Amino acid sequence: MGSCRQIAQQLVAPGKGVLAADESIATMSSRLEKAGVEATPENRRRYRELLATTPGLADSASGIIFADETLRQTFADGSPFARAVHSLGVLPGIKVDTGAKPCPGLPGETVTEGLDGLSARLAEYAEIGAAFAKWRAVHVITDALPSAGALRSNANALARYAAACQEAGIVPIVEPEVLMDGAHPIDRCAEVTAAAHAAVREELALLGVDLAGIVLKPNMVIEGRDHAGTTSPERVAEATVEVLRAWPDELAGVAFLSGGQPPERATANLEAMQHHRTPWPLTFSFGRALVDPALAAWHGDPALVGAGQAALAERVAANAAAVRRSHTEFVAGTPTAVGV
Ligand code: 13P
């Protein structure tokens, strides 16, 4: 448990966030194809190596989340991903859920699977070198959904996953995502996000999960993608922090997903969060908001690896700069940086 607390602290260390590069084979393949890159294991490997070897990444990223396929691959020089990333100063993580699947009994909703055999898989991932893990539950917003059954089922699975991780000495990133799909206003997202978090807190408590040894990965509280108008960063931050206040002080930290927001908007919202004094750090664990520009710049061309890395470095540095502010003027109350 002690080491989980330490690793969780490292993941949310001042001025750092987590890079989510753990797209499933299917999702990664379709993103590569859209960028004009053939979807082969080798191209997925090349892309992940490009991300992981971005110069200076360790200054702004505490960890990288990979999918199972990547963790079993090697850099071009033959060193296994987990070991290679670790030696670059970044903690390797692993997505251990097997995806959101239609939930029997709940039409239109999903439950995230992957609990069968999880303890054995975690032991193997620990052996390979994974320091932390991720499990993502997904909720849609409609007038009637999510149902209480979907909230409860996903929260229970997240808690069982988190307890298994801590037993294996791996830090669980607990991700109850409420999707941006739909035309709902921000208040509806706040209501659903609060309900999802309440269910997760209850289930984590029932299984004795140590909150100081987990990182919460929530969506920002934000209007639906099809809602008219764009909520200001200040309002997104206020609504998000208000929902998060229900979490106890001992929670190690909060690392947001980007959820399909344009990269610059995700950064502006993250920066606005830092104006709020909270007992836990508020940082990023973005996927698309970090890697989309890199994939677009590289698009499979070996001559453009540097351009892809520059695009990633720019986004990671912008988000790290945003969260660094919390340790300077906003929280510490002084322009002298703490731990950065
Ligand atoms: P996005 O930031 O693209 O939402 O991805 C984060 C993630 O890890 C989703 O599980």
Side-chain angles (χ1 to χ4, degrees):
M1 205 70 101
S3 82
C4 277
R5 288 186 172 195
Q6 270 175 3
I7 292 165
Q9 288 296 330
Q10 270 178 267
L11 286 172
V12 296
K16 291 194 180 183
V18 174
L19 166 59
D22 60 323
E23 300 90 341
S24 65
I25 291 177
T27 303
M28 191 68 249
S29 297
S30 89
R31 289 186 186 163
L32 284 175
E33 275 164 4
K34 266 195 207 127
V37 187
E38 196 190 346
T40 61
E42 174 57 12
N43 282 338
R44 291 192 291 271
R45 191 204 67 71
R46 286 170 63 222
Y47 171 61
R48 264 62 176 259
E49 180 169 349
L50 174 159
L51 299 176
T53 56
T54 292
L57 189 67
D59 297 339
S60 304
S62 52
I64 307 182
I65 320 173
F66 293 115
D68 177 89
E69 179 189 55
T70 312
L71 215 65
R72 298 179 189 285
Q73 292 177 320
T74 65
F75 276 18
D77 69 4
S79 43
F81 259 81
R83 205 184 318 143
V85 162
H86 209 276
S87 64
L88 289 169
V90 178
L91 292 171
I94 174 76
K95 188 246 290 277
V96 300
D97 69 69
T98 55
K101 307 284 163 57
C103 187
L106 300 176
E109 294 188 281
T110 61
V111 64
T112 298
E113 295 189 348
L115 290 172
D116 287 354
L118 180 59
S119 292
R121 285 196 290 130
L122 288 169
E124 190 196 357
Y125 289 136
E127 187 74 27
I128 296 174
F132 69 100
K134 180 191 111 169
W135 180 290
R136 171 177 176 255
V138 187
H139 294 292
V140 284
I141 295 184
T142 70
D143 288 345
L145 302 180
S147 66
L151 292 173
R152 184 58 55 192
S153 302
N154 277 299
N156 177 259
L158 274 168
R160 288 179 61 191
Y161 142 80
C165 283
Q166 289 189 338
E167 273 189 15
I170 288 182
V171 170
I173 291 188
V174 172
E175 181 177 3
E177 176 171 10
V178 176
L179 296 176
M180 282 181 74
D181 299 355
H184 51 270
I186 186 171
D187 292 351
R188 174 77 177 132
C189 179
E191 178 182 55
V192 170
T193 304
H197 288 196
V200 170
R201 273 193 305 277
E202 280 174 31
E203 298 288 335
L204 291 173
L206 286 171
L207 294 190
V209 173
D210 177 24
L211 295 183
I214 75 166
V215 173
L216 178 69
K217 178 164 173 167
N219 51 284
M220 296 181 187
V221 172
I222 198 164
E223 80 285 349
R225 192 172 289 113
D226 301 327
H227 185 75
T230 303
T231 311
S232 69
E234 292 70 28
R235 177 74 192 113
V236 168
E238 185 183 50
T240 304
V241 171
E242 199 174 304
V243 166
L244 290 173
R245 293 241 181 253
W247 286 89
D249 291 6
E250 59 263 34
L251 179 69
V254 176
F256 294 101
L257 59 93
S258 61
Q261 297 178 61
E264 290 75 13
R265 185 178 185 203
T267 307
N269 288 339
L270 183 65
E271 180 171 0
M273 308 273 182
Q274 311 303 323
H275 293 254
H276 295 263
R277 191 177 282 264
T278 57
W280 359 259
L282 300 173
T283 188
F284 60 94
S285 175
F286 295 162
R288 286 163 286 179
L290 295 177
V291 300
D292 279 358
L295 179 56
W298 170 61
H299 58 81
D301 185 342
L304 291 174
V305 166
Q309 292 182 326
L312 175 66
E314 196 270 318
R315 289 320 316 155
V316 177
N319 286 293
V323 300
R324 218 161 261 152
R325 301 194 69 188
S326 67
H327 295 274
T328 54
E329 63 252 54
F330 301 132
V331 171
T334 154
T336 309
V338 175
V340 290

